[in-house]
Amino acid sequence: MSSSAPSDLTDLIARLEEQERRLRLPSLSNDDAWRLGCLIAELAEERGAAVTIGVRRGGQRLFHRALSGTSADNDAWLERKCRVVDRYAASSYLVGTRFRAKGTTFEESSRLDPDRYAAHGGAFPLHVTGTGVIGAVAVSGLPQAEDHALVVAALERFLDQP
């Protein structure tokens, strides 16, 4: 991160990095992925949010749900955001914010095809303690900060469950 980054971006990066350190899973079974996806869907419905939700481990889709009001475009956004998580082992929001803090954009400077990668908020790494990043959980349909916040809220609740 550039030392000339605006303080609001510096603060945001620190907050996003803290979330990633804190929101780590002890394990992730297929049933866990299903429960996490359903939890996101419940939170989205409570908030009246039209989102598409995906949970993947490696190349396998373990959960997918499109709530009313979404379209195939949301599926494409999920894929593009998850590719960023897969490549950088960081949330799509953090990756995009790091580029902005350097005074550029992901699209301008990553050298990656924007039709295949999107560093917009909503995809979060599934980090298993002692193993590393094994997949991603993602939503698409809201402004990027809200997509990211929905995933974070769901992970917090999921980790608080017995």
Side-chain angles (χ1 to χ4, degrees):
M1 182 176 63
S2 168
S3 61
S4 63
S7 64
D8 58 335
L9 290 178
T10 302
D11 293 344
L12 178 56
I13 288 169
R15 195 166 66 250
L16 297 173
E17 288 173 343
E18 183 278 329
Q19 289 170 348
E20 291 187 22
R21 281 190 300 274
R22 184 171 45 86
L23 298 174
R24 296 187 175 188
L25 305 167
S27 62
L28 184 76
S29 69
N30 290 16
D31 289 339
D32 293 333
W34 179 261
R35 283 192 298 278
L36 177 58
C38 289
L39 179 57
I40 296 170
E42 289 170 18
L43 289 174
E45 288 171 339
E46 286 171 10
R47 298 174 184 193
V51 295
T52 298
I53 305 152
V55 181
R56 14 193 291 181
R57 183 181 55 224
Q60 184 179 21
R61 183 180 302 173
L62 302 177
F63 182 93
H64 183 88
R65 180 158 180 212
L67 298 179
S68 295
T70 61
S71 71
D73 288 342
N74 297 109
D75 291 331
W77 275 100
L78 278 184
E79 293 299 318
R80 293 169 58 217
K81 292 183 211 184
C82 285
R83 283 189 191 103
V84 169
V85 172
D86 293 344
R87 184 160 186 121
Y88 291 89
S91 74
S92 53
Y93 195 30
L94 176 56
V95 171
T97 303
R98 284 177 173 160
F99 276 91
R100 286 191 304 281
K102 293 177 184 174
T104 186
T105 66
F106 178 82
E107 294 78 11
E108 291 169 351
S109 299
S110 70
R111 300 181 60 134
L112 296 172
D113 182 351
D115 288 336
R116 294 188 43 80
Y117 295 86
H120 294 265
F124 198 92
L126 291 171
H127 188 288
V128 172
T129 303
T131 301
V133 176
I134 62 160
V137 54
V139 299
S140 172
L142 303 169
Q144 68 172 336
E146 293 176 40
D147 274 348
H148 179 85
L150 179 58
V151 171
V152 167
L155 280 168
E156 289 171 339
R157 191 175 293 181
F158 181 79
L159 287 167
D160 282 343
Q161 294 176 344

